[in-house]
Amino acid sequence: MDLQNADPADEVRRIIEGLEQKRYSAMLASDVATLADLLDDDLVYTHSFGERDDKAGYLKKVADRYFVYHEIHHSSDRIIVRESLAVVAGVMRAKATVGAAVREIDNSCMAVWGKSRDQWRLLAYQPTPFR
């Protein structure tokens, strides 16, 4: 590969793909510290049934084990890069306990990552149930 002609967006796509993997692994492990580092302070996190959380609300639910993910399968089908933003279009399937209810989650999803002070953080997440 000719490094002088390499597309800088390809490197960003690799970084974002790694961050998505890290985020989903942290969700599965209920790893609040890792999630706190990955989530932007202005986070808008929309859930499958329309509820919305900010960063503090989402992290509290993870810490309180309101969300318990038993398994997660995800894909990043397309990552669009524009300057300090990256949009991930993908799929997220999971088995989780939400509150007291066991749920099968089957979503198309959109994640928006922003770069600030040389660190990429999740700004927004929006799932859309397939069914």
Side-chain angles (χ1 to χ4, degrees):
M1 171 187 261
D2 182 357
L3 294 179
Q4 290 181 337
N5 293 325
D7 183 355
D10 287 340
E11 177 61 22
V12 172
R13 286 183 190 95
R14 283 190 286 279
I15 290 167
I16 297 301
E17 183 64 39
L19 291 171
E20 282 283 280
Q21 180 61 46
K22 187 174 182 180
R23 178 172 70 89
Y24 282 113
S25 293
M27 289 167 58
L28 195 55
S30 298
D31 183 345
V32 175
T34 296
L35 288 168
D37 189 49
L38 292 172
L39 305 179
D40 193 86
D41 290 342
D42 292 324
L43 175 73
V44 177
Y45 195 102
T46 305
H47 301 281
S48 300
F49 294 96
E51 304 91 12
R52 200 175 278 157
D53 278 312
D54 61 9
K55 180 179 181 176
Y58 180 75
L59 292 175
K60 181 172 179 6
K61 287 178 181 174
V62 173
D64 291 347
R65 310 241 341 131
Y66 180 80
F67 300 120
V68 177
Y69 292 93
H70 308 291
E71 63 181 74
I72 300 175
H73 305 279
H74 68 93
S75 66
S76 300
D77 301 328
R78 185 169 179 202
I79 301 174
I80 302 164
V81 177
R82 295 290 185 273
E83 297 176 16
S84 60
L85 287 175
V87 177
V88 181
V91 172
M92 194 271 271
R93 292 182 172 90
K95 290 183 183 174
T97 302
V98 179
V102 176
R103 294 191 178 161
E104 297 271 338
I105 299 166
D106 190 12
N107 292 328
S108 174
C109 56
M110 192 80 62
V112 180
W113 291 82
K115 189 173 186 181
S116 177
R117 295 183 297 278
D118 292 329
Q119 185 166 353
W120 288 95
R121 289 199 168 89
L122 185 70
L123 288 166
Y125 180 76
Q126 175 75 52
T128 302
F130 280 118
R131 24 183 166 168

